[in-house]
Amino acid sequence: MSDALTVALVIPVFNEAGVIETTHAQIAAVIDALPYHFRIYYVDDGSTDGTDASLERLAAQDERVRILSLS
């Protein structure tokens, strides 16, 4: 691993199933160009619309993604 700094992004989400993939793609496009390591924490605050499934797909596709689910 290089000496690059690690930056943690904490992103709260609630019922974002319709837009979370697009939002993540836009975030990734920006951070991919930066000279840092990133960890992206999506904090789901009790979504009921399938946001959890969308986040699971993102986590499977992007190793930087971590999911925290609040009750």
Side-chain angles (χ1 to χ4, degrees):
M1 182 178 233
S2 69
D3 292 332
L5 293 175
T6 298
V7 177
L9 300 176
V10 179
I11 303 168
V13 295
F14 180 74
N15 289 344
E16 304 291 345
V19 297
I20 194 66
E21 291 92 347
T22 302
T23 301
H24 180 77
Q26 292 173 343
I27 291 168
V30 172
I31 67 175
D32 286 346
L34 300 175
Y36 306 107
H37 296 287
F38 284 87
R39 181 74 64 211
I40 305 167
Y41 294 94
Y42 287 103
V43 182
D44 184 3
D45 195 13
S47 295
T48 59
D49 69 341
T51 296
D52 56 339
S54 296
L55 291 174
E56 290 293 337
R57 284 191 296 275
L58 288 177
Q61 297 169 357
D62 189 335
E63 65 183 12
R64 299 172 293 190
V65 172
R66 298 293 184 269
I67 304 164
L68 302 169
S69 297
L70 305 178
S71 56

